[in-house]
Amino acid sequence: MLSRLVLALAFSAALAAQSPQTPQGLQTLEVVPLPRDGEVLVSFKLNETLTDEIRKAIQSGLTIKFVYKVDLRRGSSVWVDRTLQSALVSATLRYDTLTRQYHATRSIDGRTEWADVTAREDVAWNWMTRDFSRMSLFRGVALEPNAEYYLRVSANASPRGASFIWPWKGDDAVGLAKFTFMR
Protein backbone atom coordinates (compact mmCIF):
# COMPACT_ATOMS: atom_id res chain seq x y z
CA MET A 1 0.00 0.00 0.00
CA LEU A 2 2.83 2.39 0.88
CA SER A 3 4.59 1.62 -2.41
CA ARG A 4 1.42 2.52 -4.35
CA LEU A 5 1.20 5.84 -2.50
CA VAL A 6 4.85 6.63 -3.25
CA LEU A 7 4.35 5.70 -6.91
CA ALA A 8 1.24 7.89 -7.16
CA LEU A 9 3.08 10.85 -5.61
CA ALA A 10 6.03 10.40 -7.97
CA PHE A 11 3.68 10.22 -10.96
CA SER A 12 1.85 13.38 -9.84
CA ALA A 13 5.15 15.22 -9.45
CA ALA A 14 6.22 14.15 -12.95
CA LEU A 15 2.95 15.39 -14.43
CA ALA A 16 3.24 18.70 -12.60
CA ALA A 17 6.77 19.17 -13.94
CA GLN A 18 5.63 18.46 -17.51
CA SER A 19 2.57 20.75 -17.52
CA PRO A 20 3.44 24.03 -15.91
CA GLN A 21 0.58 26.33 -15.00
CA THR A 22 0.92 30.04 -15.66
CA PRO A 23 -0.67 32.20 -12.96
CA GLN A 24 -2.97 34.94 -14.17
CA GLY A 25 -1.31 38.28 -14.75
CA LEU A 26 2.03 36.80 -15.73
CA GLN A 27 3.41 36.58 -19.24
CA THR A 28 2.11 33.86 -21.52
CA LEU A 29 3.62 32.09 -24.47
CA GLU A 30 1.27 31.11 -27.29
CA VAL A 31 2.39 28.21 -29.49
CA VAL A 32 0.88 27.15 -32.83
CA PRO A 33 2.13 24.04 -34.67
CA LEU A 34 1.49 23.63 -38.39
CA PRO A 35 2.19 20.10 -39.70
CA ARG A 36 2.79 20.43 -43.41
CA ASP A 37 4.64 18.44 -46.13
CA GLY A 38 6.21 15.97 -43.71
CA GLU A 39 7.50 18.53 -41.20
CA VAL A 40 6.19 20.78 -38.44
CA LEU A 41 6.30 24.55 -38.85
CA VAL A 42 6.41 26.39 -35.53
CA SER A 43 4.86 29.75 -34.67
CA PHE A 44 4.91 31.35 -31.24
CA LYS A 45 4.63 34.69 -29.52
CA LEU A 46 5.37 35.92 -26.04
CA ASN A 47 2.58 38.14 -24.72
CA GLU A 48 4.77 40.38 -22.62
CA THR A 49 4.30 44.14 -22.54
CA LEU A 50 7.24 46.48 -22.60
CA THR A 51 7.50 47.75 -19.03
CA ASP A 52 9.28 50.89 -17.89
CA GLU A 53 11.95 48.75 -16.20
CA ILE A 54 12.70 46.85 -19.42
CA ARG A 55 12.58 50.07 -21.45
CA LYS A 56 15.16 51.72 -19.15
CA ALA A 57 17.44 48.68 -19.39
CA ILE A 58 17.25 48.67 -23.19
CA GLN A 59 17.76 52.42 -23.54
CA SER A 60 20.81 52.27 -21.29
CA GLY A 61 22.54 50.34 -24.06
CA LEU A 62 22.33 47.00 -22.26
CA THR A 63 21.94 44.02 -24.62
CA ILE A 64 18.70 42.15 -23.96
CA LYS A 65 18.44 38.52 -25.04
CA PHE A 66 15.47 36.17 -25.12
CA VAL A 67 16.22 32.48 -25.59
CA TYR A 68 13.34 30.25 -26.68
CA LYS A 69 13.88 26.50 -26.36
CA VAL A 70 11.50 24.63 -28.66
CA ASP A 71 11.01 20.91 -28.00
CA LEU A 72 9.17 18.52 -30.29
CA ARG A 73 7.82 15.79 -28.00
CA ARG A 74 5.73 12.68 -28.13
CA GLY A 75 3.62 11.81 -25.13
CA SER A 76 3.94 8.54 -23.32
CA SER A 77 1.27 6.88 -21.22
CA VAL A 78 3.75 4.76 -19.31
CA TRP A 79 6.73 6.98 -18.52
CA VAL A 80 8.17 10.43 -19.12
CA ASP A 81 7.41 12.03 -22.49
CA ARG A 82 10.10 11.60 -25.13
CA THR A 83 11.82 14.63 -26.68
CA LEU A 84 12.35 13.92 -30.39
CA GLN A 85 14.32 17.06 -31.21
CA SER A 86 15.07 20.48 -29.73
CA ALA A 87 15.96 23.86 -31.20
CA LEU A 88 17.19 27.10 -29.63
CA VAL A 89 15.86 30.37 -31.04
CA SER A 90 17.63 33.48 -29.71
CA ALA A 91 16.47 37.06 -30.16
CA THR A 92 18.90 39.82 -29.19
CA LEU A 93 18.22 43.53 -28.95
CA ARG A 94 20.76 46.32 -28.42
CA TYR A 95 19.97 50.02 -28.43
CA ASP A 96 22.70 52.28 -29.80
CA THR A 97 22.52 55.43 -27.66
CA LEU A 98 24.49 57.50 -30.19
CA THR A 99 22.44 56.76 -33.30
CA ARG A 100 19.19 56.04 -31.39
CA GLN A 101 18.70 52.84 -33.37
CA TYR A 102 17.61 49.38 -32.18
CA HIS A 103 19.80 46.54 -33.51
CA ALA A 104 18.05 43.17 -33.49
CA THR A 105 19.38 39.74 -34.44
CA ARG A 106 17.81 36.31 -34.48
CA SER A 107 19.71 33.04 -34.43
CA ILE A 108 18.56 29.44 -34.62
CA ASP A 109 20.81 26.86 -33.00
CA GLY A 110 23.69 29.36 -32.97
CA ARG A 111 23.41 30.39 -36.64
CA THR A 112 22.42 33.98 -37.32
CA GLU A 113 19.30 33.83 -39.47
CA TRP A 114 18.28 37.46 -39.54
CA ALA A 115 19.41 40.95 -38.45
CA ASP A 116 17.81 44.37 -38.82
CA VAL A 117 17.86 47.93 -37.50
CA THR A 118 14.95 50.22 -36.65
CA ALA A 119 14.36 53.51 -34.91
CA ARG A 120 10.93 52.42 -33.62
CA GLU A 121 10.74 50.90 -30.15
CA ASP A 122 7.47 49.01 -30.78
CA VAL A 123 8.85 47.34 -33.92
CA ALA A 124 11.99 46.27 -32.06
CA TRP A 125 9.94 44.83 -29.18
CA ASN A 126 7.76 42.86 -31.63
CA TRP A 127 10.91 41.38 -33.16
CA MET A 128 11.87 40.11 -29.71
CA THR A 129 8.51 38.75 -28.60
CA ARG A 130 5.97 38.27 -31.41
CA ASP A 131 7.59 37.90 -34.80
CA PHE A 132 8.17 34.12 -34.78
CA SER A 133 6.01 32.54 -37.45
CA ARG A 134 6.19 29.37 -39.53
CA MET A 135 9.75 28.50 -38.62
CA SER A 136 11.06 25.21 -39.95
CA LEU A 137 13.00 23.97 -36.93
CA PHE A 138 12.67 20.20 -37.18
CA ARG A 139 13.83 19.10 -40.61
CA GLY A 140 14.42 15.41 -41.10
CA VAL A 141 12.55 14.19 -38.02
CA ALA A 142 10.62 11.03 -38.86
CA LEU A 143 7.11 11.49 -37.52
CA GLU A 144 4.67 8.62 -37.31
CA PRO A 145 1.41 9.23 -39.21
CA ASN A 146 -1.76 9.65 -37.12
CA ALA A 147 0.24 10.02 -33.92
CA GLU A 148 -0.12 12.76 -31.32
CA TYR A 149 2.79 15.08 -30.62
CA TYR A 150 3.23 18.39 -28.88
CA LEU A 151 5.49 21.41 -28.93
CA ARG A 152 6.86 22.85 -25.72
CA VAL A 153 8.38 26.33 -25.92
CA SER A 154 10.14 27.79 -22.91
CA ALA A 155 11.42 31.36 -22.79
CA ASN A 156 14.27 32.79 -20.74
CA ALA A 157 15.39 36.40 -20.65
CA SER A 158 18.80 37.78 -19.81
CA PRO A 159 19.85 39.68 -17.92
CA ARG A 160 17.53 38.50 -15.18
CA GLY A 161 15.46 41.16 -13.45
CA ALA A 162 15.74 39.67 -9.98
CA SER A 163 18.40 40.84 -7.55
CA PHE A 164 18.75 37.34 -6.08
CA ILE A 165 20.32 34.64 -8.23
CA TRP A 166 18.51 31.33 -7.86
CA PRO A 167 20.67 28.20 -7.55
CA TRP A 168 18.65 26.47 -10.26
CA LYS A 169 17.53 27.58 -13.69
CA GLY A 170 13.81 28.09 -14.25
CA ASP A 171 11.83 29.20 -17.26
CA ASP A 172 10.33 32.68 -17.43
CA ALA A 173 7.39 31.48 -19.57
CA VAL A 174 6.28 28.14 -21.02
CA GLY A 175 3.77 27.35 -23.76
CA LEU A 176 2.42 24.00 -25.03
CA ALA A 177 0.46 22.99 -28.12
CA LYS A 178 -0.67 19.49 -29.10
CA PHE A 179 -1.22 18.29 -32.65
CA THR A 180 -1.83 15.09 -34.60
CA PHE A 181 0.53 14.42 -37.47
CA MET A 182 -1.43 13.43 -40.56
CA ARG A 183 0.14 12.21 -43.74
Side-chain angles (χ1 to χ4, degrees):
M1 182 73 170
L2 181 62
S3 62
R4 286 184 184 176
L5 179 63
V6 170
L7 184 61
L9 287 174
F11 183 72
S12 298
L15 284 178
Q18 287 182 1
S19 4
Q21 300 294 320
T22 304
Q24 286 186 343
L26 293 181
Q27 57 200 5
T28 59
L29 192 58
E30 295 178 25
V31 182
V32 178
L34 180 62
R36 179 160 294 167
D37 298 330
E39 69 175 322
V40 180
L41 302 178
V42 180
S43 298
F44 60 89
K45 65 180 178 177
L46 178 64
N47 291 323
E48 175 67 23
T49 58
L50 183 60
T51 63
D52 288 336
E53 181 183 345
I54 297 171
R55 182 177 286 116
K56 286 177 187 176
I58 292 171
Q59 291 181 351
S60 73
L62 186 65
T63 301
I64 304 296
K65 183 176 185 178
F66 287 171
V67 177
Y68 301 94
K69 183 179 181 200
V70 184
D71 293 325
L72 175 61
R73 292 184 171 185
R74 177 143 188 218
S76 174
S77 61
V78 178
W79 196 242
V80 180
D81 292 353
R82 187 176 60 164
T83 300
L84 302 175
Q85 194 168 357
S86 295
L88 285 178
V89 179
S90 301
T92 307
L93 183 65
R94 185 182 55 81
Y95 181 70
D96 188 337
T97 56
L98 295 175
T99 62
R100 298 183 187 267
Q101 298 281 317
Y102 296 90
H103 298 264
T105 59
R106 178 168 305 146
S107 63
I108 299 175
D109 290 331
R111 295 180 319 273
T112 301
E113 297 286 326
W114 170 87
D116 208 344
V117 178
T118 186
R120 294 186 48 197
E121 181 180 75
D122 60 330
V123 172
W125 187 248
N126 279 338
W127 288 342
M128 294 289 291
T129 59
R130 296 180 170 273
D131 195 24
F132 302 93
S133 61
R134 295 187 177 171
M135 294 185 298
S136 178
L137 301 176
F138 306 115
R139 295 180 193 108
V141 176
L143 299 177
E144 187 177 316
N146 302 322
E148 287 193 13
Y149 297 91
Y150 68 95
L151 291 172
R152 180 183 188 273
V153 180
S154 58
N156 290 294
S158 68
R160 301 290 246 182
S163 59
F164 180 75
I165 299 174
W166 291 98
W168 59 88
K169 184 178 180 180
D171 296 322
D172 293 333
V174 176
L176 299 169
K178 293 183 179 184
F179 67 96
T180 302
F181 182 71
M182 302 288 203
R183 201 161 258 229

